[in-house]
Amino acid sequence: MVYSEGVSGAVVSVLLTWVNCSSVRWATRVQDIFTAGKLLALALIIIMGVVQICKGEFFWLEPKNAFENFQEPDIGLIALAFLQGSFAYGGWNFLNYVTEELVDPYKNLPRAIFISIPLVTFVYVFANVAYVTAMSPQELLASNAVAVTFGEKLLGVMAWIMPISVALSTFGGVNGSLFTSSRLFFAGAREGHLPSVLAMIHVKRCTPIPALLFTCLSTLLMLVTSDMYTLINYVGFINYLFYGVTVAGQIVLRWKKPDIPRPIKINLLFPIIYLLFWAFLLIFSLWSEPVVCGIGLAIMLTGVPVYFLGVYWQHKPKCFNDFIESLTLVSQKMCVVVYPKVDGDSGTEEATSEMEEQHKPIFQPTPVKDQDSEEQP
């Protein structure tokens, strides 16, 4: 069973990577279709829950039953529950990765977040209310796919709708993650923190193929973990660690550089509240699951030697730079990719030298003195 799930997950990742490499428009259309299918399925679940409540089937919604303790309360388990539950709401952060591809991002990015977070909260909360009208908490915990079990109980011959909806939801989640996370690697390479080939795009399709392939490879490596909850703990702990550091950085910048341009402004109270919740979440999650969270922290720290080797160490041997340059050239030929043209420039020498200087600390060989003068007639 675990083997078949791993193989199917790998096939889905490879297929959606091919779609994203082929066309940005295809990727967004696939995302729109899968998201619409998922929302329609959740709307069906909510409607069935309302029907159940109208029939008087709300035993587990009554306060005396809903708040009954099935085990001793533990602050660490509560924090871990928040960590796992927040995984469903983690999509709010992905849109920030593709701001360069948004139309009028300073206007549309806040609007998308303000619309999506309340909508997702409403849909997920009422979907869970619908679940407990047909299933006990013990059945919810025992089910591998709650929506499928719910459909088997209430939809009868139409129960096949739920497995298809779960598959659509999974496809949409993987597609959205590939589309947005690849842009994160693309931006990191452009800033000189990753191999320069990851900052290249296809000459005709304008898709970041190397970054997408790297994202797909990272996704396939995650499939070595068969326990879904352990994987969620890994990803959730690392994600929220970086979320907190990022939000703290906004507060520091507000204090140290108060006059820099800020097209999107928020009240400082919101990041402070977030940091307090973030500290509670991580500290007690680490207390509850020290091994799992510790492994997640160790995975994150593996980037430290890579940083010192690739970024901090600037005076690398010529053989190392030659090898990286050859590897980059081969990757360019295989993926048919080049550096994107800088906006407002027509490929002049100034833009080219700026791009080379940006990538030089890691992977570009040290330029030879008077090279430009030697090439000129």
Side-chain angles (χ1 to χ4, degrees), residues 108-145:
N108 291 326
L109 178 63
R111 179 183 295 176
I113 293 177
F114 291 152
I115 293 174
S116 62
I117 290 182
L119 177 62
V120 170
T121 302
F122 172 84
V123 170
Y124 280 4
V125 168
F126 280 91
N128 280 277
V129 169
Y131 288 148
V132 296
T133 62
M135 305 167 65
S136 67
Q138 291 84 353
E139 289 177 303
L140 285 170
L141 292 173
S143 175
N144 291 325

Side-chain angles (χ1 to χ4, degrees), residues 166-187:
V166 171
L168 290 176
S169 177
T170 305
F171 269 62
V174 175
N175 184 74
S177 180
L178 285 170
F179 183 81
T180 55
S181 298
S182 61
R183 272 61 179 178
L184 184 63
F185 296 128
F186 176 82

Side-chain angles (χ1 to χ4, degrees), residues 98-113:
V98 292
T99 51
E100 290 185 348
E101 299 178 52
L102 289 177
V103 177
D104 194 2
Y106 298 144
K107 179 179 179 180
N108 291 326
L109 178 63
R111 179 183 295 176
I113 293 177

Side-chain angles (χ1 to χ4, degrees), residues 10 29 63 84-85 119 372:
R29 286 180 177 176
Q84 293 183 349
L119 177 62
D372 294 335

